[in-house]
Amino acid sequence: MNKMQTLFNWAQQKNCAIVAFNISNMEVMKGITAALNNLQCPAILQVSAGARRYTGSDYLRALFNTAQANTQTTLVLHLDHGDSFELCKDCIDHGFDSVMIDGSHLPFAENVALTKKVVDYAHAHDVWVEGELGEICGIEDAVNVAHSKYTDPAKAREFVQKTGVDSLAVSIGTAHGAYKYAVGSTPALRYDILKQIHAAIPDTPLVLHGASSVIPEYVTTINQFGGQIKDAVGIHERELARAIDDGVRKINIDSDLRLAITATIRQYFHDQPAVFDPRSYLKEAMKTVTAVAERKLKYYTLRNDQSLGQDHH
Ligand code: G3H
Ligand code: 13P
Ligand code: ZN
């Protein structure tokens, strides 16, 4: 059985969600690996097209393999926001367990056609496919959508039927990046729409993109030490975790790691102005990655693990 399938089956049984962390360098990879070992928890490690450009697919593969060799838990390698059949095919040919084909910006019929083409190739190679329907707002490198279009539950059923896609990214009010919500607005998810989507496709694991919480303490630290991350707010993990009860089984985290690393390094530079060995501050950054990763794993994957105490339930 495909590794992603095994993981989603496990998550379904435990009524929890697997955290998908974006990786693009060794420090993030090692920081996450430490968290997975500390908590004995599985995870998805995902790479974007931008990460492949920055790091190189061979380095990323080597990082993943090394992480897998150093953990006792299941790790799944996933392509995040694949934007073409060719990119997905390349990842499938190079041993990815899972790919996302993001045709959400396309008209419905074109999204169906592109997704189906990827599904046909992927399934012939025992690879999992995540599709997307509806548009998730936010501004990221390759992901740039001005306004969200919520996923239509009836269309979601038609999409899954026509494409045979394995999991579906849905748009219910989350957003990519650190600037997720307009100043003065009250960020809120459309759990009503999520419930309808889950009812329409109960056997399809749902995926929450743009799920970083924009952890306030890191934003404050960044601004305190010379950064300018103004008016960045998100939704707390406690609130986001409600989505798990309505079929969300994969929760994507990138921005919270970026913010935590930036906060740590900014503070380090302020506190230790004489240090110029990158290993000194990257080591601290790695520890922060571990702390953020553990926080996510506790809220989402280990949410029903009684040994963790009330704080994360
Ligand atoms: O959803 C997008 C991820 O955060 C990846 O961002 O394209 O800047 O690597 P990136
Ligand atoms: P964040 O920007 O909220 O971390 O979302 C990451 C994501 O959805 C990656 O696909
Ligand atoms: Zn995303």
Side-chain angles (χ1 to χ4, degrees):
M1 194 190 285
N2 176 280
K3 267 207 273 179
M4 191 72 118
Q5 173 85 66
T6 309
L7 216 49
F8 278 131
N9 288 352
W10 179 81
Q12 166 78 25
Q13 264 173 16
K14 282 181 64 99
N15 189 24
C16 71
I18 310 296
V19 183
F21 296 105
N22 283 74
I23 53 161
S24 58
N25 61 38
M26 186 196 71
E27 286 74 18
V28 170
M29 186 73 260
K30 284 188 83 168
I32 293 168
T33 305
L36 300 177
N37 279 333
N38 290 345
L39 297 176
Q40 284 301 299
C41 189
I44 297 161
L45 300 169
Q46 56 186 15
V47 299
S48 67
R52 275 169 54 109
R53 276 195 302 277
Y54 173 78
T55 317
S57 49
D58 48 352
Y59 278 88
L60 286 167
R61 163 53 80 179
L63 282 174
F64 178 83
N65 288 348
T66 307
Q68 182 68 89
N70 283 283
T71 47
Q72 296 77 45
T73 64
T74 305
L75 303 184
V76 166
L77 182 59
H78 172 77
L79 169 68
D80 190 28
H81 291 287
D83 61 354
S84 69
F85 173 77
E86 290 70 26
L87 174 57
C88 292
K89 179 179 182 301
D90 191 56
C91 291
I92 293 164
D93 292 347
H94 286 88
F96 276 53
D97 305 298
S98 173
V99 295
M100 175 188 190
I101 178 68
D102 181 358
S104 58
H105 53 287
L106 298 170
F108 183 77
E110 286 174 41
N111 189 1
V112 166
L114 176 61
T115 304
K116 170 126 182 37
K117 189 174 172 187
V118 172
V119 167
D120 288 345
Y121 188 79
H123 285 181
H125 295 79
D126 192 29
V127 169
W128 184 274
V129 181
E130 174 182 324
E132 180 171 326
L133 190 65
E135 293 181 45
I136 298 158
C137 75
I139 298 170
E140 290 274 306
D141 183 0
V143 183
N144 188 338
V145 182
H147 300 288
S148 289
K149 286 182 199 148
Y150 296 123
T151 306
D152 177 332
K155 284 279 180 205
R157 177 160 42 208
E158 189 184 341
F159 187 77
V160 170
Q161 278 168 353
K162 287 188 164 159
T163 59
V165 79
D166 301 299
S167 55
L168 189 68
V170 294
S171 175
I172 56 160
T174 56
H176 286 105
Y179 301 101
K180 295 179 184 297
Y181 303 102
V183 180
S185 69
T186 309
L189 294 194
R190 291 293 303 269
Y191 292 107
D192 55 330
I193 296 177
L194 179 63
K195 267 187 204 313
Q196 291 170 32
I197 298 168
H198 186 40
I201 45 171
D203 299 328
T204 305
L206 304 178
V207 180
L208 213 53
H209 281 248
S212 280
S213 293
V214 192
I215 300 169
E217 68 204 64
Y218 295 122
V219 174
T220 303
T221 302
I222 290 172
N223 290 331
Q224 191 182 340
F225 294 102
Q228 291 188 12
I229 307 284
K230 302 292 178 209
D231 304 316
V233 287
I235 298 176
H236 195 280
E237 288 89 349
R238 258 193 308 274
E239 174 72 8
L240 286 168
R242 285 175 55 198
I244 298 170
D245 292 324
D246 290 313
V248 166
R249 296 280 167 245
K250 173 172 177 274
I251 296 188
N252 287 8
I253 303 295
D254 190 355
S255 297
D256 277 343
L257 298 176
R258 297 179 181 193
L259 289 166
I261 291 167
T262 302
T264 304
I265 293 178
R266 277 197 176 277
Q267 175 155 13
Y268 193 96
F269 283 173
H270 173 271
D271 293 348
Q272 316 258 7
V275 173
F276 65 96
D277 182 344
R279 291 171 296 188
S280 304
Y281 51 85
L282 292 177
K283 193 170 154 198
E284 293 308 307
M286 238 187 299
K287 285 188 206 158
T288 316
V289 167
T290 302
V292 172
E294 287 187 358
R295 172 178 170 134
K296 303 296 173 184
L297 296 168
K298 287 177 182 173
Y299 273 111
Y300 301 138
T301 309
L302 305 172
R303 69 195 288 253
N304 295 318
D305 190 329
Q306 297 306 324
S307 64
L308 289 173
Q310 284 309 305
D311 195 32
H312 293 288
H313 297 130

